[in-house]
Amino acid sequence: MDYNYEQTSEVEALDSIYYGDMQILQTEPFHKFSIPIKSENYDDGDGLSCQLVFSYTQKYPEELPNVEIISDESFDEIVDKDELLKHLEEQGNENLGMVMIFTLVSAGQEWLNEKWDGVKREREEKLLAKKKADEEAEQKRFEGTRVTVESFLAWRKQFEIDMGIPAKREKEAIKDKNKLTGKELFLRDTTLNESDLKFLDDGDAVKVDESLFQDLDDLDLSDDEDDDDYVPGQSDSDSD
């Protein structure tokens, strides 16, 4: 096989196919060139893109070409380059003995589209999951939390602690404990026991006018019911 002829002929064909995109990097001792691949709709501002760099070996196409991947940081965050290189190597082994660069570029392009489809699907699933979680959270916010006896008692206990109610209750209990009832005050204050006696012993406090009782003997205090002619409800004038 004329390796040089096979290689030169393929380079000319590739330059015609990828005109404007393919770049010849070197020609000696063997050709080295790059061809870009990119996912669908990449030019719209979203997707994956990289450069496949091929270097012929002395016995290409009976040997695999050397392949490198040149990409930016965003590509590296999403795509495992070793995974893509392995895929291209498998495709190359299936085409040994034939010029294969176009086949490898097409295989890389297809692989990149599938990878990007998976990325988009994963992003959509995350968006849907987030939307569902937000909707459930919003619904739960309106529904509120189901109240049980245990949860209410726990809430009330914490609420009273936050409001300082136990401390206030303890303070009031101590205050009430120090208060004395009327009976306790009476038993403790001996001056209260003697106050009525002092009032009774004070001869000048109450004076009685004895003249009001001097004519009591002249009053007729006989019981009208002892009179035989007495009729209840009638006066003496009626009986006359």
Side-chain angles (χ1 to χ4, degrees):
M1 179 182 288
D2 188 345
Y3 301 117
N4 183 62
Y5 174 77
E6 293 291 336
Q7 295 173 13
T8 302
S9 297
E10 184 179 37
V11 168
E12 292 176 354
L14 292 171
D15 186 49
S16 177
I17 295 171
Y18 300 108
Y19 180 77
D21 291 329
M22 178 178 172
Q23 294 183 358
I24 305 297
L25 303 177
Q26 71 177 41
T27 58
E28 298 294 339
F30 306 104
H31 278 86
K32 181 177 182 179
F33 50 89
S34 67
I35 298 174
I37 60 174
K38 51 190 173 184
S39 61
E40 295 180 358
N41 301 322
Y42 175 80
D43 293 334
D44 295 336
D46 199 12
L48 298 172
S49 176
C50 68
Q51 295 279 341
L52 297 180
V53 180
F54 299 96
S55 299
Y56 287 148
T57 62
Q58 183 177 2
K59 295 183 179 181
Y60 173 84
E62 290 185 346
E63 294 177 342
L64 292 177
N66 294 321
V67 184
E68 301 174 59
I69 297 175
I70 298 177
S71 60
D72 57 21
E73 184 177 349
S74 61
F75 183 93
D76 297 340
E77 292 175 353
I78 299 175
V79 175
D80 184 352
K81 290 182 179 180
D82 292 337
E83 185 179 348
L84 177 54
L85 288 173
K86 182 179 180 180
H87 177 69
L88 295 177
E89 182 180 358
E90 292 173 354
Q91 296 299 313
N93 285 326
E94 294 177 2
N95 291 274
L96 281 176
M98 300 179 292
V99 290
M100 64 182 75
I101 301 301
F102 178 80
T103 300
L104 296 181
V105 171
S106 298
Q109 180 72 61
E110 184 179 356
W111 185 90
L112 204 61
N113 284 332
E114 292 178 356
K115 175 62 68 173
W116 179 242
D117 288 341
V119 171
K120 290 192 298 182
R121 184 167 53 252
E122 183 178 351
R123 289 179 178 178
E124 290 173 356
E125 290 174 353
K126 288 183 178 180
L127 288 175
L128 290 175
K130 183 179 183 303
K131 181 179 180 182
K132 183 178 179 181
D134 292 342
E135 290 176 351
E136 291 177 352
E138 185 70 11
Q139 184 177 1
K140 185 177 292 185
R141 186 174 70 86
F142 281 106
E143 289 178 352
T145 303
R146 186 179 297 276
V147 178
T148 63
V149 175
E150 292 77 8
S151 64
F152 172 76
L153 292 176
W155 171 86
R156 188 179 68 176
K157 181 179 180 180
Q158 186 59 46
F159 174 79
E160 291 181 349
I161 292 174
D162 295 340
M163 297 299 293
I165 293 177
K168 293 179 180 179
R169 286 178 176 170
E170 184 177 355
K171 183 178 180 180
E172 291 295 329
I174 296 174
K175 183 178 180 181
D176 291 341
K177 186 177 180 181
N178 294 331
K179 288 182 179 179
L180 298 177
T181 63
K183 181 178 180 180
E184 291 172 334
L185 287 172
F186 183 81
L187 294 175
R188 287 186 174 218
D189 191 352
T190 56
T191 60
L192 295 177
N193 299 340
E194 300 174 356
S195 60
D196 290 341
L197 296 176
K198 290 181 179 180
F199 175 78
L200 293 176
D201 290 341
D202 188 357
D204 295 335
V206 179
K207 295 183 179 181
V208 179
D209 187 357
E210 296 180 357
S211 64
L212 295 175
F213 301 95
Q214 292 178 356
D215 298 331
L216 288 177
D217 294 337
D218 297 333
L219 295 176
D220 183 6
L221 301 177
S222 62
D223 190 351
D224 290 340
E225 294 182 357
D226 294 338
D227 189 350
D228 294 337
D229 297 331
Y230 170 76
V231 177
Q234 293 184 354
S235 61
D236 291 341
S237 61
D238 292 338
S239 60
D240 295 340

